[in-house]
Amino acid sequence: MIFANLLQTNTMDNIYLYMLIAIAVLAVVDIVVGVSNDAINFLNSAIGSKAISLRTIMITASLGIFIGAVFSSGMMEVARKGIFVPSQFEFGEIMLIFMAVMITDILLLDFFNTLGLPTSTTVSIVFNLLGAGVVMSLIKISNIEEQSISDLTSYINNEKALEIILGILLSVGIAFTVGAVVQWVSRLIFTFNYEKKIKSFGAIFGGIALTAITYFIFLKGLKGTPYYSNLKSFVEGNEVYIIGGSFVFWTLFSVIFEKITKKTVLLVVIAVGTFGLALAFSGNDLVNFIGVPMAAYHSYEAWVNGGMDVNMSMAVLDKKVPAEPLLLFISGAIMVVTLWLSKKAKTVAETEISLSRQGDTHEKFEPNQISRALVKGSTQLSNYFGVIVPDSISQKISKSFTKPYVVMTKDQSLEAPAFDLIRASVNLMVAGVLIAIATSMKLPLSTTYVTFMVAMGTSLADRAWGRESAVYRVAGVLNVIAGWFGTAIGAFIAAGIVVFLINWNPTVMIPILLLLTVILLYRNYASHKKSSNKIIEEDSLKKAESSSLQGVIQESAKNIANVVKRTNRIYSNSIVGLAKQDISLLKKSKKQVVKLTAEIDDLRDNIFYFIKNLDESSLEASNFYINILGYSQDMSQSLEYISKVSYKHINNNHKKLKLSQIKELKELDDKLEVLFQETETTFKTESFEKIGSILNEKKAVLDLVKEKIQKQVERTRTEESSPKNTTLYISLLLESKDLINATMNLLDEYYNSFDRTVQPATIGDEAKSDTDNQKS
């Protein structure tokens, strides 16, 4: 019977039925893009700690989502009357508002998913409703002579909208502070070597954590649902007894669990916390995805029953209407399927995990002036308090925060858990409690803001943001927060523009905007798929893992072959692009240089871990490795300059090089091409004894460059009339000279270090040898 009344109308003449169908389809898409972004809220703590298997995490979260969706109807009033006053709008206007909100919400969330940035579905829907409501109100006011812009307050529910916005902003500060304080106290008690203390205090900690999760999420969370009336008489007035009984039960459970399984109860805390946080997320955020479509359905139903008058007042939305159980069931199912299949959810999750990782990671964000100032100020403040606090107390605190030192490579660090079970448990417990309290008060706070800021607060308290990473992590947090403000401003403006366009001509603009939505969604999908499925190219550079000089020489040979191969290609493309004035080829060369430089920089970043994994007898290998990376970087810097000045010259539409200059550059390019090909073949085949013959060509090539410079000097004195051409040409020759010298230095390093009589050894071989010696 859910759509029984809808089919009574003539669908061919009823644009509002088509709009309702479009909104229903958009609701499904909105759930998909919304869950893709919000999945990080309840998955990251479990995934980051790697406490339980990914499959178990997904099943636990799926159960929480589904149950939370079915119990979430109490929040639907926000979309119906939380932002604007329904009685001030007619049916036709309400439908246009809802259509604009759904289109802009989907595009905005999908944009953030593609970037891999967590944003708030709550903020998005609230400001979409606010933007569309304000613009539609202004349109109505402009058509009524007796009204002015001051009458806007009669259309917009200012008090409720302000309450929602302030609640969301306040939750950010509260979440960060509470997360930091709870984590600091927890770490002070358990330290990073928590395995010993967890045996003594683990049951009590488990009792507290599980009591908080079960009480606030399962009982307080139910307060916002229609099912709470059945439990009201039992819960209210007995809160102290329920909390006390839960603590005793869960503490005993923790003791029994650890005795029987010989495992820490923190595993249970993380599993139950993931379930509870997924349940709280679903109960709080489902309104963001289907609140508007359900309000549109109830509006349409009232319109059909009221005689199909387009000018009918929507005061009916002021009344409480229970959500359709079937729709909640379907929505929960879609959310679960999305959780399992969405690849964008993984991309967004990587952002939060990398920002909260205890060890080293590939920093995703570049530092900025604000992050540097904040880190510098915090360091100075910390030093100030360090003077005030007595040394004995300071040393005792520092001892609790001392991390166990483990030698590993950067890749191994990335594969290790991002943080331990203590921090994962605190993340889930604090975030779940805060979200459940807000849900019970019917405040649609942002679950993203709360979980993200709790995670950042616990990271700060855990000293995960050290001097080596603080500016990057703080910059990342600032980027995410800036994205949140961007969400609010973008949602308000975009929804306002869309509702204005739809109101201008609904029959034309709605199909156009829906088509545009499909195109943009597909474009974002294709872009994300392309970036996610990047295959390691054949000529990409690999990290060294050998522990001996000869091993590093042979292992690095392929890298050098690839560097030389790519150098040859980039240099030739730059010369050809300059000669033909081919801006696209020069642009391609610039991109190739950036990629090569990034790969070399990545190898240099790994030097610390490479050296740490060597023994005393292998220091010579580290010197060799550092030198060849330095020469490789010199080569990439020369290429970067050559490609940049060539592109700039053509892009600025300067005078073309003379034919004689082009011929001379091509002659040099041909000479270098032979040199680079010989070098590439030598390193590919590891025929290092041939390096000597290549080094013998050094003087001839450098003399050729010197000859070209001398010719240009003579041309400049007699016939050259373009200062730009002279500067470009001489710059190219000088940088080519630097490129040749860097290449020859690299070859010379190999020639002097290689010894074919010595068998190469790897780190793994040495470890095995040490083990064999111990056995013997």
Side-chain angles (χ1 to χ4, degrees):
M1 295 297 292
I2 191 170
F3 296 110
N5 292 327
L6 304 186
L7 301 177
Q8 295 176 5
T9 59
N10 185 342
T11 56
M12 295 301 295
D13 300 324
N14 187 1
I15 186 176
Y16 296 110
L17 178 59
Y18 297 138
M19 287 176 64
L20 183 62
I21 294 171
I23 289 173
V25 174
L26 290 172
V28 175
V29 180
D30 202 28
I31 291 174
V32 172
V33 297
V35 172
S36 295
N37 195 281
D38 275 359
I40 62 163
N41 300 335
F42 47 87
L43 293 179
N44 273 3
S45 292
I47 293 175
S49 65
K50 296 189 176 182
I52 48 183
S53 69
L54 183 61
R55 181 182 177 83
T56 305
I57 294 169
M58 296 294 283
I59 292 173
T60 304
S62 299
L63 289 172
I65 285 180
F66 190 77
I67 295 171
V70 175
F71 281 72
S72 66
S73 60
M75 291 294 299
M76 296 300 158
E77 304 302 316
V78 175
R80 296 160 55 83
K81 56 183 181 180
I83 305 301
F84 51 77
V85 181
S87 58
Q88 294 289 343
F89 295 91
E90 299 169 357
F91 169 73
E93 295 163 346
I94 283 285
M95 291 298 287
L96 296 185
I97 289 173
F98 289 156
M99 175 62 78
V101 167
M102 292 304 295
I103 290 173
T104 51
D105 192 53
I106 287 169
L107 292 178
L108 195 63
L109 293 178
D110 191 63
F111 172 72
F112 275 90
N113 289 346
T114 304
L115 292 179
L117 290 176
T119 191
S120 169
T121 55
T122 304
V123 167
S124 179
I125 200 71
V126 165
F127 278 89
N128 275 318
L129 285 166
L130 189 60
V134 167
V135 171
M136 184 58 75
S137 301
L138 293 174
I139 293 172
K140 285 175 67 67
I141 290 170
S142 67
N143 294 328
I144 303 174
E145 292 184 4
E146 297 80 10
Q147 292 189 343
S148 65
I149 195 168
S150 61
D151 293 298
L152 185 63
T153 54
S154 62
Y155 292 90
I156 303 299
N157 191 344
N158 292 335
E159 186 178 337
K160 185 66 176 177
L162 189 62
E163 179 187 348
I164 291 170
I165 294 168
L166 288 177
I168 290 170
L169 293 176
L170 192 62
S171 68
V172 172
I174 292 173
F176 185 85
T177 305
V178 174
V181 171
V182 175
Q183 178 60 32
W184 191 84
V185 173
S186 300
R187 186 62 69 193
L188 192 65
I189 295 171
F190 291 102
T191 75
F192 278 96
N193 296 306
Y194 62 88
E195 289 84 359
K196 295 178 181 177
K197 289 196 174 183
I198 207 72
K199 294 178 180 178
S200 304
F201 303 104
I204 297 174
F205 182 82
I208 294 172
L210 291 170
T211 298
I213 291 169
T214 53
Y215 177 74
F216 284 104
I217 293 177
F218 296 129
L219 294 181
K220 285 290 187 182
L222 285 173
K223 195 173 182 179
T225 73
Y227 305 94
Y228 181 72
S229 57
N230 300 325
L231 300 171
K232 188 175 181 180
S233 59
F234 171 74
V235 175
E236 293 187 0
N238 298 315
E239 286 88 349
V240 176
Y241 299 107
I242 293 173
I243 293 174
S246 296
F247 175 71
V248 172
F249 170 79
W250 286 117
T251 302
L252 289 173
F253 171 84
S254 301
V255 173
I256 295 169
F257 176 84
E258 291 185 341
K259 289 286 185 183
I260 294 175
T261 64
K262 304 299 181 185
K263 294 181 179 179
T264 174
V265 74
L266 296 181
L267 297 175
V268 178
V269 173
I270 292 171
V272 175
T274 300
F275 172 83
L277 198 55
L279 183 143
F281 147 78
S282 186
N284 189 276
D285 278 18
L286 188 58
V287 61
N288 303 335
F289 314 134
I290 69 167
V292 168
M294 290 183 72
Y297 165 70
H298 291 141
S299 301
Y300 187 88
E301 190 177 42
W303 177 66
V304 171
N305 294 333
M308 298 175 61
D309 179 9
V310 178
N311 299 321
M312 173 185 176
S313 171
M314 283 290 100
V316 66
L317 292 182
D318 282 324
K319 300 176 183 177
K320 286 191 175 183
V321 180
E324 300 287 348
L326 179 60
L327 289 180
L328 295 175
F329 182 88
I330 293 172
S331 300
I334 295 171
M335 293 170 82
V336 170
V337 172
T338 302
L339 180 66
W340 282 86
L341 300 181
S342 175
K343 290 185 178 179
K344 288 188 178 182
K346 298 179 179 67
T347 304
V348 179
E350 288 171 3
T351 300
E352 184 177 317
I353 291 176
S354 66
L355 288 175
S356 57
R357 183 175 289 277
Q358 193 72 44
D360 294 299
T361 184
H362 296 300
E363 302 295 349
K364 187 175 180 179
F365 300 93
E366 290 297 323
N368 51 51
Q369 292 297 331
I370 301 175
S371 70
R372 293 188 185 100
L374 285 173
V375 171
K376 188 175 181 180
S378 300
T379 303
Q380 291 174 346
L381 192 64
S382 175
N383 292 337
Y384 173 77
F385 280 111
V387 174
I388 297 174
V389 178
D391 289 341
S392 58
I393 296 176
S394 180
Q395 289 173 6
K396 190 172 182 180
I397 292 173
S398 296
K399 191 175 180 182
S400 294
F401 286 85
T402 302
K403 306 174 190 68
Y405 183 75
V406 180
V407 177
M408 60 177 72
T409 66
K410 193 167 188 177
D411 288 340
Q412 288 171 337
S413 177
L414 292 172
E415 289 298 318
F419 38 79
D420 62 15
L421 303 184
I422 297 291
R423 177 131 65 99
S425 301
V426 171
N427 283 347
L428 291 164
M429 177 175 65
V430 174
V433 167
L434 292 176
I435 292 169
I437 290 173
T439 303
S440 68
M441 297 170 66
K442 293 193 177 180
L443 290 176
L445 90 171
S446 167
T447 54
T448 299
Y449 291 5
V450 171
T451 53
F452 181 84
M453 294 310 295
V454 166
M456 296 305 102
T458 57
S459 301
L460 177 66
D462 235 7
R463 302 184 182 180
W465 300 353
R467 295 292 288 271
E468 299 289 325
S469 61
V471 287
Y472 303 98
R473 306 285 176 89
V474 173
V477 174
L478 292 174
N479 272 280
V480 172
I481 293 175
W484 295 347
F485 283 102
T487 300
I489 297 169
F492 184 90
I493 295 172
I497 293 172
V498 171
V499 81
F500 176 82
L501 292 173
I502 295 176
N503 183 72
W504 172 60
N505 193 330
T507 55
V508 173
M509 293 309 302
I510 289 176
I512 290 175
L513 289 169
L514 289 175
L515 180 61
L516 183 63
T517 300
V518 172
I519 292 171
L520 290 175
L521 287 174
Y522 177 76
R523 182 184 172 189
N524 288 342
Y525 166 78
S527 172
H528 183 267
K529 185 177 181 181
K530 183 179 179 181
S531 62
S532 300
N533 295 339
K534 280 184 179 176
I535 300 172
I536 298 175
E537 297 178 12
E538 187 180 347
D539 56 358
S540 60
L541 309 184
K542 311 291 189 303
K543 295 181 178 69
E545 295 181 351
S546 296
S547 63
S548 67
L549 174 59
Q550 300 307 313
V552 173
I553 287 174
Q554 293 193 359
E555 197 175 58
S556 300
K558 188 175 181 181
N559 274 354
I560 301 305
N562 289 332
V563 168
V564 172
K565 176 183 176 183
R566 291 161 72 174
T567 298
N568 188 15
R569 182 168 61 235
I570 293 167
Y571 187 86
S572 293
N573 285 345
S574 297
I575 301 302
V576 172
L578 189 61
K580 295 182 178 180
Q581 293 189 302
D582 187 343
I583 193 74
S584 61
L585 186 59
L586 292 172
K587 198 171 185 178
K588 182 180 178 182
S589 294
K590 279 184 68 181
K591 289 181 178 179
Q592 289 173 338
V593 173
V594 169
K595 189 171 182 296
L596 176 62
T597 303
E599 290 183 35
I600 293 172
D601 287 344
D602 188 45
L603 293 181
R604 287 177 67 89
D605 289 343
N606 196 59
I607 285 177
F608 171 83
Y609 306 97
F610 173 75
I611 295 173
K612 280 288 184 182
N613 280 288
L614 295 176
D615 60 16
E616 291 292 335
S617 62
S618 303
L619 294 180
E620 196 178 0
S622 63
N623 291 330
F624 171 81
Y625 190 60
I626 291 169
N627 286 339
I628 63 168
L629 286 181
Y631 296 138
S632 298
Q633 190 171 49
D634 291 343
M635 292 170 68
S636 71
Q637 287 173 348
S638 295
L639 289 171
E640 187 175 6
Y641 182 83
I642 290 168
S643 63
K644 185 176 73 173
V645 295
S646 300
Y647 175 82
K648 181 181 177 182
H649 188 86
I650 301 301
N651 197 38
N652 289 339
N653 206 29
H654 292 315
K655 190 182 291 185
K656 188 178 180 180
L657 290 177
K658 291 180 175 293
L659 183 62
S660 57
Q661 292 173 321
I662 293 172
K663 284 183 176 178
E664 289 171 6
L665 284 176
K666 194 69 181 77
E667 182 186 352
L668 178 61
D669 179 35
D670 291 341
K671 185 71 175 175
L672 287 179
E673 185 168 4
V674 174
L675 178 72
F676 287 141
Q677 285 177 349
E678 288 178 358
T679 304
E680 181 190 346
T681 303
T682 297
F683 280 91
K684 266 188 176 179
T685 58
E686 297 185 10
S687 306
F688 302 121
E689 64 277 359
K690 296 180 181 178
I691 292 177
S693 60
I694 301 174
L695 288 171
N696 292 334
E697 299 176 33
K698 178 180 178 179
K699 186 177 184 304
V701 180
L702 290 176
D703 286 345
L704 182 62
V705 175
K706 185 178 179 181
E707 177 191 329
K708 304 306 178 191
I709 294 174
Q710 185 61 39
K711 282 186 178 180
Q712 180 58 33
V713 171
E714 293 172 3
R715 271 196 298 266
T716 303
R717 292 177 61 83
T718 56
E719 58 186 82
E720 184 64 74
S721 60
S722 172
K724 297 288 185 186
N725 275 16
T726 300
T727 302
L728 171 67
Y729 187 73
I730 291 179
S731 296
L732 289 174
L733 290 175
L734 290 174
E735 209 59 49
S736 297
K737 181 181 177 183
D738 290 345
L739 175 64
I740 294 164
N741 281 325
T743 306
M744 292 300 174
N745 288 338
L746 189 149
L747 290 168
D748 193 52
E749 184 74 29
Y750 259 89
Y751 187 70
N752 293 329
S753 301
F754 177 69
D755 185 353
R756 187 172 288 278
T757 62
V758 179
Q759 286 294 321
T762 64
I763 294 170
D765 293 337
E766 288 196 351
K768 184 179 179 182
S769 176
D770 291 342
T771 304
D772 292 341
N773 290 336
Q774 289 173 1
K775 287 180 179 178
S776 60

